[in-house]
Amino acid sequence: DAGVTQSPTHLIKTRGQQVTLRCSPKSGHDTVSWYQQALGQGPQFIFQYYEEEERQRGNFPDRFSGHQFPNYSSELNVNALWLGDSALYLCASSLYRREEKLFFGSGTQLSVL
Amino acid sequence: GENVEQHPSTLSVQEGDSAVIKCTYSDSASNYFPWYKQELGKRPQLIIDIRSNVGEKKDQRIAVTLNKTAKHFSLHITETQPEDSAVYFCAASRDSGAGSYQLTFGKGTKLSVIP
């Protein structure tokens, strides 16, 4: 039973560029949430996708956008990268309306230079 | 929105001693409180969780207590072992009304167990 998988594991970008991160949820899960974890901090909620729609959004600007595909996998896109976007981006999957438990992937470490 | 405060930020204990990490939350509607353990360079892993209709939950050496009136909850680890060394995060969430949950995390506690 595959867990949550994310790609790539590491990424280096420069200011102003755009980035796309990918996530495949745990088998049987239908909901994907994205979190940003800055160094030394707890994860912060970005948004959640279910049935290919954004269901909830945290306090992040419109530069952060996402998508969910029919197979439940998801992408996180960040435009016009800032230095402050450097962080570990975590994807978590769950079952919508049936389970609060989140299962996290190992994350993508994004460095913006 | 919800705000979760976690203390202490670092904690060192001798192997075999107990460790306690405390969290407070601000939203009285929060009803689900998980704890995650994150080892260096690895994913956060759920170690125990509690719902607001329960005051205490135990799983082997780990226990969580919840005081809804005071809006605080705590993680207790007994008989600590070196492999317990990690960063521990508390979190709180509630049903958004659409049946989905959004976790708000504390800033984490770095636990070091000294052999």
Side-chain angles (χ1 to χ4, degrees), chain B:
Chain B
E2 175 67 276
N3 182 49
V4 176
E5 299 284 341
Q6 183 172 348
H7 300 280
S9 56
T10 61
L11 180 61
S12 292
V13 299
Q14 292 289 332
E15 181 178 357
D17 287 350
S18 296
V20 180
I21 303 171
K22 299 181 179 181
C23 290
T24 60
Y25 61 99
S26 60
D27 187 350
S28 57
S30 289
N31 57 8
Y32 175 65
F33 306 92
W35 286 86
Y36 284 84
K37 174 183 179 182
Q38 188 174 29
E39 297 177 63
L40 190 62
K42 296 190 175 180
R43 71 188 72 195
Q45 289 194 302
L46 179 68
I47 56 172
I48 195 166
D49 57 7
I50 191 168
R51 290 177 173 79
S52 58
N53 59 348
V54 176
E56 184 174 358
K57 184 177 179 181
K58 189 174 182 180
D59 182 5
Q60 299 182 2
R61 297 186 296 109
I62 294 173
V64 57
T65 58
L66 171 65
N67 183 325
K68 286 175 56 180
T69 303
K71 289 191 282 189
H72 68 70
F73 55 112
S74 300
L75 177 71
H76 304 253
I77 306 175
T78 58
E79 301 173 15
T80 53
Q81 301 168 3
E83 51 266 37
D84 294 329
S85 296
V87 178
Y88 291 81
F89 293 97
C90 63
S93 79
R94 65 178 180 90
D95 184 345
S96 68
S100 64
Y101 296 83
Q102 169 185 328
L103 290 182
T104 300
F105 284 83
K107 291 188 176 182
T109 296
K110 183 178 181 180
L111 173 64
S112 300
V113 180
I114 304 165

Side-chain angles (χ1 to χ4, degrees), chain A residues 1 5 8 10 21 36 39 43 49-50 59 64 72-74 78 80 90 97 103-104 107 110 112:
Chain A
D1 178 21
T5 59
H10 296 83
L21 311 181
Q36 180 194 66
L39 191 64
Y49 277 84
Y50 170 69
N59 188 26
F64 289 77
Y72 308 121
S73 67
S74 177
V78 187
L90 294 163
R97 293 194 178 189
F103 291 85
F104 282 90
L110 173 64
V112 182

Side-chain angles (χ1 to χ4, degrees), chain A residues 7-23:
Chain A
S7 64
T9 54
H10 296 83
L11 205 50
I12 299 174
K13 293 286 188 179
T14 56
R15 282 178 296 175
Q17 285 190 312
Q18 179 264 344
V19 68
T20 297
L21 311 181
R22 296 175 176 83
C23 171

